[in-house]
Structure formats: structure tokens, C-alpha cells
Amino acid sequence: MTARIFPTAQDAEGAFYEALERADLEAMMAVWSEDDDVVCVHPSGQRLAGQEQVREAWRQMFSGGPSMRIRISQQVVVTGMMVEIRSVHENITVAGEPGPRPPILATNVYLRTPAGWRLVLHHASPAPAGAAAEPPAPTPPAPKTLH
Amino acid sequence: MTARIFPTAQDAEGAFYEALERADLEAMMAVWSEDDDVVCVHPSGQRLAGQEQVREAWRQMFSGGPSMRIRISQQVVVTGMMVEIRSVHENITVAGEPGPRPPILATNVYLRTPAGWRLVLHHASPAPAGAAAEPPAPTPPAPKTLH
């Protein structure tokens, strides 16, 4: 359906959060593996398994159009042979709200497939209070003026 | 430190939940990769990264000794070349409590290493209300009547 190839897991991750910000269902699903073995857990949501459930949840989420900005911070990356596991904080600001929401902790697992790197699992859950106080790893990093 | 080899990811997962029930720190850490690239998120907890943080959290959790029984249900498994991703519901009963707690949704990622299959990531978060009522992974999915 789509010919987009992600040469690295990081590229796939960039496309994932871009699609999320743009509420672009086709761009979002192009990041996921084409296999039916995909798993997605939205914050405080039911576990979704398989293309249909995963797609339907994004479709519903995107039905209102783009509404949020996402800044990713505090990446931790675990790499294997043909796999990359990325643990990140998602700092989400929703249009019309005064400030960012409490951060979300996400695990994203990418596999290297014949069609490039693809997402096979996204597990997101609310980070505990206090997680927001950690330094926000901006790019490029701003000089630290405190302690 | 330990010579235990897990020939499959499922074996490693069995040992993980056994160590958790027994509150056995050494058995628990023997399931984890020996690399420092390990990530652990306990339900509603901070993200822990690296051997020290992961071990210290289990040590604290186990300090009171064994107190729970865990039944795993609704496994969904995604496999790659040298990786296995297991998404499960953890149904935990704590000693002295009348019934099981609300289920926990866990993502466990295992890599095949020279020392057998090892855990590199555990991300657990509370499952939403109603998750306990789900049928245990029916195939095919029930028809959707609401939307």
C-alpha cells in the first residue's frame, strides 16, 4: 500500500510521532509492521492486538483531526540483532490547553523487516508524578543553568 | 554468576514469574540480560534503566518476602529473528486479600543471547477496568456491536 521504507528504527520512530501529531492514519499504519502480529496499548487502554484492532483505535483517535504536539525526551535504546527497543517519555501538549500534560512513558519495539524498520509494539502508560521534573532533553540541548 | 540457561523465551518468562512469586532476587536477576541495556517499568512506577536501578527496585519489592500468586493470561507473542515480545495480563493475588487485584498489562521483551534467552525490557501498567472480564483470547474476535 505504501512504499515508504525506514532505513533505521529511529526513522520509523520519527514517522510514528509525526503521524500522531498530524492525525494521519495512513502515515501511522505505514510505520507498523504489515504482519498481523502487532500489539498496541494506549495509556490506560485495553491491549489491542492485530492490524484491525490497532488501526481502528488510531482511526477513532484521529477522527477529530490533529490536536496535539509531542516532544520526545529521555530516550533509552536497547538494540538486538534485528530489533530496536526504544523507551521514551512523550510530552504531549493538546491544543487549547495551557501547558503540557503529565508525561507518558512509552515502549516502542521495532523489527527490521524486508520492508525496512517497522513498529510491532507500542505500550504507553502514564508516567508517575514527578517524572515531569526530570530534565527534558531538548534538541539541541539548551545549556543547563541550574545546579 | 548463574549458569542457568533458558532455551526459549517462554522458559525465561516462566522463571521470571516464578522468581516474582518467590520474591527471589537472584533468580529474578538471572532472567535479565547481563548487559546494562535493560529497562523496567513497574505499574505506575518510574522508568528504571540499567542493572543497578532494575535490581534495586526488585530488591526493595522483595524485601518483605513472598506475598503473591500470579496467573498469566491472554498471551500475545510477537517473534523476530532473535527476539520474542510477549504481551500478557498478570492476575495477581496478594496474601491476605480476598480476591485477585485488577489485572496488570505487561510487555516483556526477550533477546536470544549467548547465555540463552534473557529479558531486556519489562513494562507493566494497570489494565483498564473491564479487562478482567475479557474472554481469554478468543479466536476469531467477537463481532463489534457498539461504536
Side-chain angles (χ1 to χ4, degrees):
Chain A
M1 195 194 291
T2 174
R4 188 153 181 202
I5 299 270
F6 304 109
T8 69
Q10 195 172 356
D11 294 330
E13 183 141 292
F16 175 83
Y17 286 109
E18 203 182 295
L20 189 45
E21 282 195 337
R22 297 207 329 259
D24 183 331
L25 182 59
E26 296 313 317
M28 169 56 74
M29 293 314 296
V31 176
W32 286 81
S33 164
E34 290 171 328
D35 267 19
D36 207 39
D37 290 343
V38 289
V39 172
C40 184
V41 180
H42 293 296
S44 306
Q46 298 281 358
R47 194 255 322 271
L48 310 166
Q51 292 284 337
E52 266 196 45
Q53 289 188 2
V54 170
R55 184 186 182 92
E56 176 58 19
W58 290 117
R59 193 191 63 71
Q60 287 181 22
M61 195 180 300
F62 292 168
S63 61
S67 65
M68 53 177 152
R69 298 286 300 169
I70 304 165
R71 191 173 51 76
I72 296 305
S73 63
Q74 301 177 56
Q75 288 100 327
V76 171
V77 179
V78 180
T79 51
M81 181 80 105
M82 309 269 270
V83 61
E84 196 161 302
I85 303 146
R86 301 176 71 87
S87 167
V88 302
H89 279 76
E90 302 174 350
N91 307 280
I92 298 178
T93 309
V94 176
E97 293 182 0
R101 295 193 170 187
I104 298 288
L105 199 42
T107 295
N108 299 318
V109 183
Y110 302 87
L111 295 186
R112 189 172 160 193
T113 77
W117 286 85
R118 293 294 187 103
L119 185 62
V120 293
L121 178 135
H122 172 71
H123 183 162
S125 61
E134 291 175 68
T139 309
K144 284 187 181 150
T145 50
L146 293 174
H147 62 129
Chain B
M1 195 192 292
T2 175
R4 189 154 180 201
I5 298 272
F6 304 109
T8 70
Q10 196 172 356
D11 294 330
E13 183 142 293
F16 175 82
Y17 286 110
E18 205 182 293
L20 190 43
E21 282 194 338
R22 297 206 329 260
D24 182 331
L25 183 59
E26 295 313 318
M28 168 56 76
M29 293 314 297
V31 176
W32 286 81
S33 165
E34 291 171 328
D35 267 20
D36 207 39
D37 290 343
V38 289
V39 172
C40 185
V41 180
H42 293 296
S44 307
Q46 298 280 0
R47 193 253 324 269
L48 311 166
Q51 292 285 338
E52 266 197 44
Q53 288 188 2
V54 170
R55 183 186 184 91
E56 176 58 19
W58 289 118
R59 194 192 61 73
Q60 287 180 22
M61 195 179 303
F62 292 167
S63 61
S67 64
M68 54 177 151
R69 297 287 300 167
I70 305 166
R71 190 176 50 78
I72 295 306
S73 63
Q74 301 179 58
Q75 287 100 328
V76 172
V77 179
V78 180
T79 51
M81 181 80 105
M82 309 270 271
V83 61
E84 195 161 301
I85 303 145
R86 301 175 72 87
S87 167
V88 302
H89 279 75
E90 301 173 350
N91 308 280
I92 298 177
T93 309
V94 176
E97 294 182 0
R101 296 195 168 185
I104 297 290
L105 198 42
T107 294
N108 299 318
V109 183
Y110 302 88
L111 296 186
R112 190 174 160 193
T113 76
W117 287 86
R118 293 293 185 103
L119 186 62
V120 292
L121 178 134
H122 172 71
H123 183 162
S125 61
E134 283 177 78
T139 310
K144 285 190 181 148
T145 52
L146 292 173
H147 57 125

